[in-house]
Amino acid sequence: MEALMERIRSKSDSLKSLTDSSKIVRMGMADRRHSLDTNDKAVLRACLDTLQTSISVRSVNGMSERLETTARQMGLKFMVHSTNPNTHNFYISTETFYVEICIDQNGTVLETRIHHQNPQGSMSSTP
């Protein structure tokens, strides 16, 4: 953990934005040379969550990261599926329902749908 923190501190002087800070922390956590125990990962994950909520969303990537963070914090599943290059579909789900969020290329939400699981196993949509 100390080696990872030193690496992050050494790069912090050259960082200019919260997005860059978030990226460095994520890359550090993914680096296999640093063995992190469960506590260390939880602390770094909490820091990433704080950074993520501080970053304003101005792109599809930013919206995707924000939705993924929110889903993880709530214990929900998150999935991305895009068939059209102009729109992106994000899904946040549980066993009983899922939310479909359609976003354009600028990160603007176009449509949100809630789908409930009914007893027969088919899905019903509520706009």
Side-chain angles (χ1 to χ4, degrees):
M1 177 74 166
E2 281 303 313
L4 175 60
M5 292 307 294
E6 283 303 316
R7 184 169 173 234
I8 292 170
R9 283 186 199 110
S10 71
K11 293 186 180 213
S12 66
D13 295 335
S14 64
L15 298 178
K16 298 191 178 17
S17 70
L18 291 175
T19 305
D20 291 339
S21 297
S22 177
K23 183 178 178 180
I24 291 296
V25 171
R26 270 186 272 126
M27 286 174 23
M29 287 178 66
D31 191 350
R32 301 272 184 210
R33 294 178 291 174
H34 304 291
S35 61
L36 300 173
D37 64 11
T38 308
N39 256 359
D40 293 341
K41 285 183 181 180
V43 168
L44 288 172
R45 181 59 61 194
C47 290
L48 274 176
D49 291 347
T50 302
L51 283 172
Q52 191 63 36
T53 56
S54 300
I55 298 171
S56 62
V57 175
R58 294 192 177 123
S59 66
V60 173
N61 240 4
M63 182 60 81
S64 176
E65 288 178 9
R66 177 69 59 90
L67 290 171
E68 185 174 10
T69 298
T70 302
R72 186 179 31 76
Q73 288 172 338
M74 302 302 290
L76 304 172
K77 297 175 187 171
F78 177 76
M79 187 177 72
V80 179
H81 184 265
S82 299
T83 55
N84 182 343
N86 296 327
T87 61
H88 303 273
N89 296 334
F90 301 97
Y91 299 90
I92 298 174
S93 65
T94 68
E95 292 179 6
T96 57
F97 72 93
Y98 70 92
V99 177
E100 178 182 2
I101 305 158
C102 301
I103 299 175
D104 70 7
Q105 292 176 334
N106 300 321
T108 305
V109 176
L110 300 173
E111 184 178 18
T112 302
R113 295 184 203 131
I114 299 172
H115 301 268
H116 297 278
Q117 180 76 29
N118 67 27
Q120 289 79 25
S122 63
M123 304 302 281
S124 61
S125 176
T126 322

